[in-house]
Amino acid sequence: LATSAKERGPQGGVKFMNLWQRLRVVHRAWHYRLRCEPQEIACVRAHLSAGDTAIDIGAHQGAFTYWMRKRVGPHGRVVAFEPQPEMAALLQRTKQAFGTRNVTIVNAGLSAEPGELTMHRPENAPSACATFQPNAWEGGESFTVPVEALDLYCIHHDLRPINFIKCDVEGHELPVFRGAATILREDRPVLLFECEQRMHD
């Protein structure tokens, strides 16, 4: 969306969301709840309660983050991991626009161990199909992003116990869960994760 000079920071980056942009965030969240992924959002709402801690892995534009933070309330916590810098910046602007204090945005991916991985996306722009899987797209764009291991991140940021994990990382789910082995074994969170036919092997 186009932004006015008042909405830009000193370096030209977008600093605030206008009313129309905030309405688009809410519309997208309700679109996911009612039409796009109603069963998945119902799962989020059914298994999260006030005061819980939830992890959104592959948050993209934040539709799941929106409902997670609604359910956990002001005393709960949501950590949204998004490796694409443009999408992480959008999530940060959304957080600021809505005054959301119970959400932390992390511009990083998750994997079996901390470090760096190469992200691939079909075009030189943010994509819901961005992936760490090699040879996923012909052409497009590849770039290096930082990655964390969820077990270590939660230790360093005092996040245990974890009640709910949503994971949509385009075929990288197993390494993510390997990096969260302690949490899965000890906290036994509810898991909501994508597994597409094209990623089965």
Side-chain angles (χ1 to χ4, degrees):
L1 292 173
T3 57
S4 68
K6 291 182 180 179
E7 295 171 297
R8 297 184 182 276
Q11 284 75 44
V14 176
K15 188 176 181 181
F16 301 110
M17 281 186 166
N18 60 32
L19 177 60
W20 173 242
Q21 290 168 322
R22 292 196 297 270
L23 288 174
R24 283 177 64 89
V25 170
V26 176
H27 176 268
R28 178 178 175 82
W30 278 94
H31 177 70
Y32 264 68
R33 178 175 170 180
L34 299 178
R35 296 182 63 91
C36 185
E37 299 195 32
Q39 293 178 321
E40 290 83 350
I41 297 298
C43 177
V44 170
R45 299 182 71 248
H47 293 285
L48 276 175
S49 302
D52 282 351
T53 298
I55 308 293
D56 187 354
I57 307 170
H60 197 53
Q61 295 190 45
F64 281 85
T65 304
Y66 180 93
W67 293 111
M68 286 177 171
R69 61 105 173 166
K70 287 277 193 181
R71 294 298 295 171
V72 303
H75 300 295
R77 294 177 292 184
V78 177
V79 180
F81 289 88
E82 175 49 55
Q84 297 183 82
E86 306 92 336
M87 292 292 95
L90 173 63
L91 292 169
Q92 192 64 47
R93 293 197 300 273
T94 301
K95 173 183 173 177
Q96 293 171 350
F98 286 85
T100 308
R101 297 185 178 182
N102 60 348
V103 175
T104 299
I105 310 300
V106 183
N107 183 198
L110 286 176
S111 193
E113 56 187 25
E116 293 183 335
L117 288 175
T118 300
M119 171 152 278
H120 311 277
R121 53 191 188 187
E123 298 178 354
N124 297 330
S127 171
C129 298
T131 179
F132 292 133
Q133 300 299 99
N135 305 315
W137 309 106
E138 293 184 6
E141 179 184 27
S142 298
F143 55 99
T144 301
V145 301
V147 294
E148 303 275 357
L150 190 58
D151 277 342
L152 294 176
Y153 183 91
C154 289
I155 289 173
H156 294 157
H157 293 84
D158 192 25
L159 283 175
R160 305 281 301 278
I162 303 300
N163 305 100
F164 191 100
I165 297 175
K166 168 259 181 182
C167 183
D168 182 358
V169 292
E170 301 298 311
H172 200 70
E173 287 80 11
L174 185 55
V176 169
F177 292 144
R178 284 175 173 155
T182 300
I183 289 170
L184 299 182
R185 181 175 60 251
E186 297 180 0
D187 297 356
R188 301 182 66 83
V190 174
L191 300 180
L192 173 63
F193 66 96
E194 182 179 73
C195 186
E196 298 185 60
Q197 182 66 40
R198 64 191 176 94
M199 301 294 187
H200 277 184
D201 59 350

